[in-house]
Amino acid sequence: MSSNPGPSQGKPKPITIITIGMAGAGKSTFVQRINSYLHTENKPPYILNLDPAVTRVPFEANIDIRDTVNYQEVMKQYNLGPNGGILTALNLFTTKFDQVLGLVEKRAESVDYVILDTPGQIEIFTWSASGAIITDAVASSLPTVVAYIIDTPRTTAPATFMSNMLYACSIMYKTKLPFILVFNKTDVQPHEFALEWMQDFEEFQAALASHSGTRDSEGEPTYMNSLMNSMSLVLDEFYKHLKTVGVSSMTGAGIKEFFQAVDASRTEYETEYLPELERARAAREQSLRDIKEDSMNRMMKDLEVDRQRNPQAFARDHWDEDDNEDPDGDDIDIIDRSEEPYPGEYIDLTRPREENINWPRPV
């Protein structure tokens, strides 16, 4: 345990683990294994199942999307296929996600980990608006880490390995959250080969060259071979900032190391993600201020043009063209409605100009 309790007093917020991975990578089995591990550590997690199409899950979910949205009924009512039904069900569930966050925050004092199990169709969650909304909402409230689950036995081919790495890279830079690469099923295939490919560019090149079908009939590298060579160079920077762990959801091997990586990600979240979140909020607020200022400037320009075209109309509105004074010679002030009633007349910008003539200020 760290000796530095951090800026906040009392129990730290629970850390959220968002599990993402290709279909068949073993996400639900992985969630079941880490759930079992946490129970043995007397730290039962709070689990959310976000897959509306799954028939059964090997764990007890605290919040289950299937309790809120009937996936089969969504398909029937909206005349959708399976993927469209999952996406629409997730969209409908997202409209109530503020309630989900409320329930999670009520349990924040009694749990250390919140786990999200996402749909098997990875693109539905990672590239949909609802997936982004859920991820951003959770990450704005609680420390959050993304666990990208990889089917290790299916990744022994260089092309499949590179496809997984590119997908993982795109998700990491899209979410901008602490990221853990989880090589699952290491009881079937150890993941050391993947670590070697990530740490040594020449090892991956050698594996790529020895793989069948990487050269054409004239002995030259194929287009796919050249592309993967280039991609491995591009991903070198990605590998440097990546936490990796090998686990077996069947035997439980590597689960302790996974949680060590998760706990280490809390510091990364607090030092890198939170400042970025604050910068994003400040940028949004500044953008809104700029939009308001631009709108006001355009409105004033329009008023100036209107004033030049019809100066007598402006004279009617108590505005002197030369010295910005009303016809009585008193400067026009900004009215604060919270103060005492202003002695005199004023211009109500919510009313048409012709209705502003001698319009008494409401008390």
Side-chain angles (χ1 to χ4, degrees):
M1 181 178 289
S2 173
S3 60
N4 182 12
S8 59
Q9 297 289 331
K11 182 182 179 297
K13 290 183 176 181
I15 189 165
T16 302
I17 303 169
I18 302 177
T19 58
I20 296 175
M22 299 287 186
K27 290 188 301 300
S28 294
T29 309
F30 174 75
V31 171
Q32 185 274 333
R33 173 57 67 179
I34 61 177
N35 175 44
S36 176
Y37 173 84
L38 289 172
H39 272 84
T40 62
E41 295 288 312
N42 293 318
K43 296 179 179 179
Y46 197 78
I47 304 179
L48 282 67
N49 171 45
L50 300 180
D51 189 347
V54 67
T55 53
R56 63 174 296 274
V57 289
F59 51 82
E60 188 69 31
N62 297 90
I63 297 178
D64 197 322
I65 187 175
R66 297 174 299 172
D67 297 334
T68 307
V69 185
N70 187 322
Y71 162 70
Q72 297 288 349
E73 196 63 29
V74 167
M75 287 178 60
K76 192 182 302 180
Q77 288 188 12
Y78 293 95
N79 194 27
L80 298 170
N83 287 344
I86 295 173
L87 179 58
T88 303
L90 197 61
N91 288 340
L92 293 170
F93 185 71
T94 303
T95 63
K96 303 292 183 182
F97 203 73
D98 57 330
Q99 298 179 27
V100 175
L101 280 179
L103 293 171
V104 171
E105 288 172 355
K106 283 181 181 178
R107 297 291 298 274
E109 291 296 321
S110 59
V111 299
D112 293 320
Y113 298 94
V114 177
I115 303 171
L116 273 66
D117 189 21
T118 60
Q121 289 78 351
I122 183 172
E123 68 282 355
I124 288 178
F125 186 81
T126 55
W127 300 111
S128 68
S130 53
I133 290 169
I134 290 172
T135 302
D136 291 345
V138 171
S140 297
S141 304
L142 300 170
T144 304
V145 58
V146 174
Y148 184 78
I149 316 300
I150 289 179
D151 187 341
T152 309
R154 293 185 184 177
T155 314
T156 53
T160 311
F161 171 82
M162 185 54 59
S163 297
N164 255 310
M165 294 302 104
L166 287 171
Y167 216 114
C169 179
S170 66
I171 293 171
M172 188 183 83
Y173 285 113
K174 183 176 186 294
T175 60
K176 298 183 178 68
L177 288 170
F179 199 86
I180 302 174
L181 209 58
V182 181
F183 287 96
N184 196 16
K185 307 181 185 180
T186 54
D187 55 310
V188 178
Q189 171 65 57
H191 71 298
E192 281 72 22
F193 75 93
L195 298 180
E196 288 180 4
W197 288 354
M198 294 169 66
Q199 295 165 3
D200 191 338
F201 168 74
E202 292 181 354
E203 283 287 338
F204 180 76
Q205 293 251 315
L208 194 59
S210 64
H211 201 263
S212 61
T214 58
R215 294 186 178 273
D216 59 21
S217 58
E218 298 178 358
E220 294 296 322
T222 62
Y223 169 76
M224 192 66 177
N225 182 280
S226 299
L227 178 64
M228 285 190 290
N229 267 328
S230 301
M231 290 295 99
S232 62
L233 285 171
V234 170
L235 290 177
D236 187 55
E237 186 67 23
F238 166 66
Y239 296 148
K240 291 178 182 177
H241 304 283
L242 196 63
K243 295 182 179 69
T244 59
V245 60
V247 306
S248 169
S249 296
M250 291 299 295
T251 68
I255 297 298
K256 182 178 180 180
E257 290 74 14
F258 168 74
F259 277 103
Q260 290 173 350
V262 169
D263 293 337
S265 297
R266 178 188 291 275
T267 303
E268 183 182 345
Y269 168 88
E270 292 171 349
T271 57
E272 296 181 20
Y273 177 75
L274 273 185
E276 182 62 31
L277 178 64
E278 293 300 324
R279 281 194 292 270
R281 283 177 179 166
R284 283 196 298 270
E285 290 173 2
Q286 182 61 46
S287 177
L288 286 173
R289 284 195 295 269
D290 291 343
I291 290 170
K292 289 179 181 177
E293 184 177 350
D294 181 62
S295 298
M296 180 61 69
N297 289 338
R298 284 189 281 107
M299 184 188 77
M300 296 305 294
K301 287 180 182 178
D302 291 342
L303 286 173
E304 182 64 26
V305 170
D306 196 11
R307 174 185 171 190
Q308 291 174 358
R309 289 177 178 172
N310 194 359
Q312 286 156 358
F314 269 79
R316 274 188 326 180
D317 284 342
H318 317 298
W319 194 273
D320 185 85
E321 187 169 346
D322 295 324
D323 56 9
N324 287 345
E325 292 181 350
D326 67 19
D328 298 327
D330 297 322
D331 290 340
I332 294 178
D333 297 322
I334 300 298
I335 306 301
D336 185 349
R337 287 175 174 259
S338 64
E339 301 294 336
E340 292 298 320
Y342 183 75
E345 300 164 352
Y346 86 120
I347 297 175
D348 184 353
L349 296 178
T350 64
R351 292 179 172 275
R353 188 166 53 200
E354 58 271 15
E355 295 183 15
N356 264 307
I357 301 173
N358 296 325
W359 183 263
R361 181 183 187 280
V363 178

